[in-house]
Amino acid sequence: MKNLVLLLLLLSAFTAQSQKVTGYWYGQANVEMAGIQNNYLTELIISQKGTKVKGFFGYYFKDVYQSFVVKGTYDPNTRKLVINDIPIIYFKTNSTENSVDCITSFYGTLRVSKVKTELIGYFYRDKKYTYTCPDLRVNYTLYTEAKVTDSIFKDMSSTRSFWKPQPPAPDVVKGNDAKLETEMTAIADPPSPKKKLADSSAIPTSEKKTAPLLVSQPAQAVQADIIKINEDFKKRKQIVSKQIVVSSDSVRLSFYDNAEVDGDSISVFLNGKLVIAHQELTERAFNVYVQLDSALDVNEVSMFAENLGKYPPNTALMVISDGDKRYETFLSSDFKGNATIRLKLRRNSIAGN
């Protein structure tokens, strides 16, 4: 009798576990219209607690990657997962940089077999998009080797990255003074070559707050600005909060405002050199691609506070993308100190290259 009860408990535990949707899900969403071949490569990284689900939804479409924090519900009895208010780029858009989003809701059903675990369902369009946006059919497969931790979902909101050829790193300032030879080792979401801007009046309002430092400012103003930022950076204490071991010598840094968006603006330094300046922290990430110096034992990434926003200090969530691995860390800086993390290259990975 005791053995039977134990067996039933084990079966019950196994069944409950098999009905969870926690995990990394990958799949392809296809437009439900005759003769249309457009599709979206998508991923769901979700964590389930009871009937509540939260996580991270992302997709690739043409030359853009979009990702958002999502919340939903899951019914273990019916195995139905529902996630509302998911924006997806209109499938007929001509330009992903100036696209229109269709608001959809995901309805999926969990299917478990000996071969694989799937989430099968649809991204249903909102009623107001009935005559413009089609439904998307999607089939997700669980990536069983991945592990999900709650920490990745605490404050992440959204990010938007365009896939473009990475331009060579230009000098921030050309001049005779060696102090002005600071180099930008990366450019965060550079503007399209078709949109070269001659002056600030040509910058759309939506881009003025996050335009890279050299896009439109007169040369003299840029020089003075660069000098001041570098001088102020050196005056402040470097406050190291964490050291992270990475495998790749080229990583992506994504910065978000980790609390209420309150006008925080920052500059980013790599090993004491200015990478990007005058970036406002919002719920949507701005991305910086950096090449680490393999000759150094550690590379230091520093966040310099240009202001303190409405609610001091200047705080950010920084997500480091190292190949298929992600690390998140919270940064806090003010006018006395620069928030700094150290990236240490895994030497065996360098030797293998």
Side-chain angles (χ1 to χ4, degrees), residues 233 236-239 241 255 258 264-268 281 301-309 311-317 330-340:
F233 174 81
R236 300 179 188 178
K237 183 180 180 180
Q238 304 304 308
I239 304 174
S241 60
F255 293 85
N258 75 306
D264 287 343
S265 180
I266 67 170
S267 292
V268 180
L281 295 171
V301 176
S302 301
M303 184 181 84
F304 170 86
E306 296 179 355
N307 61 25
L308 300 182
Y311 305 105
N314 194 318
T315 57
L317 169 67
F330 294 95
L331 302 176
S332 177
S333 60
D334 54 25
F335 294 150
K336 295 182 180 180
N338 302 309
T340 301

Side-chain angles (χ1 to χ4, degrees), residues 153-323:
F153 307 127
K154 287 181 179 178
D155 292 278
M156 292 183 63
S157 185
S158 61
T159 180
R160 181 179 176 89
S161 303
F162 292 96
W163 300 118
K164 298 177 181 178
Q166 187 69 18
D171 290 342
V172 171
V173 180
K174 295 288 187 179
N176 297 325
D177 191 338
K179 292 183 179 179
L180 301 182
E181 295 298 320
T182 308
E183 295 182 352
M184 288 180 70
T185 55
I187 296 179
D189 290 338
S192 169
K194 296 180 180 179
K195 296 172 63 180
K196 290 183 178 178
L197 307 176
D199 55 63
S200 59
S201 63
I203 305 178
T205 302
S206 60
E207 295 182 12
K208 284 185 178 180
K209 292 182 179 180
T210 57
L213 184 62
L214 290 186
V215 169
S216 60
Q217 297 185 40
Q220 291 182 346
V222 171
Q223 291 181 13
D225 199 17
I226 291 294
I227 291 174
K228 187 176 188 311
I229 291 176
N230 277 280
E231 288 180 346
D232 289 345
F233 174 81
K234 293 176 182 177
K235 291 177 183 177
R236 300 179 188 178
K237 183 180 180 180
Q238 304 304 308
I239 304 174
V240 179
S241 60
K242 184 181 291 188
Q243 178 168 295
I244 298 172
V245 179
V246 295
S247 299
S248 175
D249 61 359
S250 178
V251 298
R252 184 182 71 191
L253 310 175
S254 302
F255 293 85
Y256 308 76
D257 194 312
N258 75 306
E260 182 178 345
V261 176
D262 61 346
D264 287 343
S265 180
I266 67 170
S267 292
V268 180
F269 285 75
L270 175 66
N271 299 324
K273 292 185 177 180
L274 183 62
V275 172
I276 198 74
H278 302 321
Q279 292 290 329
E280 184 177 356
L281 295 171
T282 69
E283 74 283 350
R284 187 184 294 276
F286 76 83
N287 302 308
V288 180
Y289 300 83
V290 296
Q291 183 74 33
L292 303 181
D293 187 344
S294 59
L296 299 177
D297 186 41
V298 294
N299 284 254
E300 291 191 344
V301 176
S302 301
M303 184 181 84
F304 170 86
E306 296 179 355
N307 61 25
L308 300 182
K310 186 177 179 181
Y311 305 105
N314 194 318
T315 57
L317 169 67
M318 181 174 71
V319 179
I320 303 162
S321 298
D322 174 28

Side-chain angles (χ1 to χ4, degrees), residues 29-34 36-40 91 134-137:
N30 298 293
V31 175
E32 284 287 289
M33 290 181 68
I36 301 298
Q37 302 299 319
N38 297 53
N39 57 62
Y40 304 73
F91 77 105
D135 296 329
L136 304 176
R137 179 174 177 79

